[in-house]
Amino acid sequence: MGIDGNTILAESLKKQGVEYVFGIVGIPVIETSMAFQAAGLKYIGMRNEQAACYAAQAIGYLTGKPGVCLAVSGPGLLHCVGGMANAQVNAWPLLVIAGSCAEDHEGIGGFQEWPQVDSSRIYCKYTARPPSPRLIPLHVEKAVRLASAGRPGAAYLDMPGTLLMGEVEEEKVPSLYNAETVKLAHPDPALVSQAADLLAGAKRPLIIVGKGAAYARAEDALCKLVDETKLPFLPTPMGKGVVPDASAHCVSAARTQALLKADVILLLGARLNWMLHFGQAPRFDKDVKVIQVDISPEEFHNSVKSEVAVHSDIKPFAEALAQKLREKKFALPPSSEWWQLLREKQKANAEFVAAQANDTSPPLNYFAVFKTVQAAIPEDSIIVSEGANTMDIGRGMLLNNKPRHRLDAGTFGTMGVGPGFAVAAAMWCRDYAPNKRVVCVEGDSAFGFSGMEIETMFRYKLPVIIVIVNNNGIYSGFDKEVMDDIQADGDVTQSTPPTALSVQVRYEKMMEMFGETGHLCHTVEEIQVAIKAAIAVTDRPSIINILINPSSSRKPQAFNWLTESKL
């Protein structure tokens, strides 16, 4: 009996434990999407391949199993490139599958012909075109495994129309490619002992919890380590919640001081890249000793030489380290000079934030908006956030006390990820945490990249609460009077500032396209009413458009936000 490539592909994905497919269909993958549904895969049709790719990698991060992005040939795949690169840099598991030009049309100007395997190779851990339908299971297993194992990333499978429609005898299709759980990598005990000695002997120790610790499901082990040792910790943006932000040992409010003064840093599943100022002076002590724990040894010593470099999954390392420190009866006294210094800095920063947040006179500032949003949204919501000041200030004020509950622009700093991430998070909540809500906090510029995914949310009845913090621009904007003066004379392409957007755009009116009503807010009280109304809606998204002061900004920084090059 014959079986076609579409069915083989669908059943192969199902056998590997894949659950979700996000995409846009067209020639030659319409039948492919139907085969996916017939095999029991959940297919979510998006409005843009880039957003579909963002959604697929976000579901991969949330579940630990790659999401699939399905695209058409040529331009369809090329629209996925931003998402593939983001998954690779962000270290999230993703499998992109694209149809491609029929093999007998290659080289003679076939429809949407493009060298897709070659084009995808620099963005992926694995790329392949199965040479026959019979070998599709082999390449699916390898793509899923490589996307998930070690440092996660992107994989690409190229599927010409002739391969998808081709048939082979079912008994000739190998069935031995079964999903296997990759066992955790355990640390070298000698290196664990060295790490314990360094921490126990430090005057100003600090733990940095990275996104890798969240992906590794290491929250229980790390919470126990922090609770027992009383060590201060600093989460990276998507490491938030692995140990709760509300923990007494979280020193996010003293981030600059903690990095600058620490003499020993335990780096858990984080990279010393731009987000951590490369681990270099002047943002770090020039003599700081780093204990680097990572699943990818290629990451060791990239920007500074680590004193101890441990190749391990985070969970077994944290468990082994906690045991060693327990044997030493080590705990950092709350009365230590280090804790006193950190608490003083936290208190000063908290006073600044409180002063800003308590200024509720319109037009509102960022701090007042986020204080109100944090107080009004359901506890332990998944927070999706992107933008410049919107994301950066929100990182400090929108708290995460559960792991993998924050999704943002991440290591690659990619704008446009928000709505796609929110679709994925809402699908995950529907299937795994039906009482949990997704709150997508967007700058007005960021929302413009993928805003039409609101239709996807309506189609799949996803109750995403979209909060747009609208300052009329990129970084900052202008009020109506100033903008009118700027554009009054001459060529608007010469006079309009590059950072400016249209003034007070009524994004909430997008809800009217679907027969619903959005929320326009100027005051704290209006935000409170809008969020309460949005929470009550459980079968569709909501848009809350908050108009803020166009010149509102973050707290003045002691250093440039990006550490300067030494060259």
Side-chain angles (χ1 to χ4, degrees), residues 262 277 454 547:
H277 313 290
I454 184 77
L547 303 182

Side-chain angles (χ1 to χ4, degrees), residues 120-189:
S120 301
R121 190 162 284 126
I122 62 172
Y123 308 106
C124 296
K125 291 178 69 177
Y126 180 69
T127 58
R129 173 192 286 184
S132 74
R134 190 177 66 82
L135 292 176
I136 288 174
L138 181 153
H139 290 282
V140 167
E141 186 278 333
K142 191 170 183 180
V144 170
R145 175 163 46 85
L146 267 62
S148 308
R151 169 161 288 162
Y156 172 66
L157 291 179
D158 193 62
M159 295 286 167
T162 40
L163 180 69
L164 292 169
M165 301 303 292
E167 289 195 359
V168 294
E169 294 179 25
E170 190 166 358
E171 60 270 18
K172 291 185 178 180
V173 178
S175 59
L176 63 158
Y177 302 108
N178 296 315
E180 290 187 11
T181 301
V182 177
K183 289 183 168 49
L184 295 181
H186 284 252
D188 180 339

Side-chain angles (χ1 to χ4, degrees), residues 289-442:
K289 292 180 171 60
V290 177
I291 303 162
Q292 187 175 11
V293 186
D294 205 288
I295 195 60
S296 175
E298 291 85 355
E299 191 58 37
F300 294 154
H301 317 302
N302 270 357
S303 52
V304 296
K305 187 178 188 309
S306 297
E307 190 75 13
V308 181
V310 187
H311 178 214
S312 175
D313 274 284
I314 303 300
K315 181 180 177 181
F317 174 84
E319 292 170 342
L321 179 65
Q323 178 59 36
K324 281 291 179 186
L325 292 174
R326 208 174 292 127
E327 292 169 4
K328 292 177 176 288
K329 296 182 171 50
F330 169 79
L332 186 65
S335 59
S336 67
E337 290 184 14
W338 181 222
W339 263 121
Q340 290 180 38
L341 177 67
L342 292 172
R343 287 197 191 96
E344 287 171 9
K345 193 64 178 178
Q346 284 180 299
K347 183 174 182 291
N349 286 340
E351 288 171 353
F352 171 86
V353 169
Q356 295 292 309
N358 292 334
D359 178 4
T360 59
S361 56
L364 297 171
N365 65 62
Y366 285 103
F367 297 90
V369 167
F370 288 132
K371 178 183 177 182
T372 307
V373 171
Q374 171 64 34
I377 60 176
E379 186 178 4
D380 292 332
S381 295
I382 293 181
I383 307 293
V384 178
S385 185
E386 61 171 332
N389 293 335
T390 297
M391 181 175 64
D392 292 342
I393 298 171
R395 282 171 174 163
M397 298 199 67
L398 299 176
L399 302 182
N400 297 103
N401 291 318
K402 300 286 185 183
R404 299 171 296 282
H405 276 53
R406 181 181 175 89
L407 308 173
D408 70 20
T411 310
F412 212 26
T414 306
M415 290 296 102
V417 296
F421 283 2
V423 167
M427 291 299 303
W428 180 85
C429 288
R430 173 182 290 178
D431 293 337
Y432 293 99
N435 295 321
K436 194 176 291 292
R437 297 301 293 267
V438 176
V439 182
C440 183
V441 184
E442 299 274 300

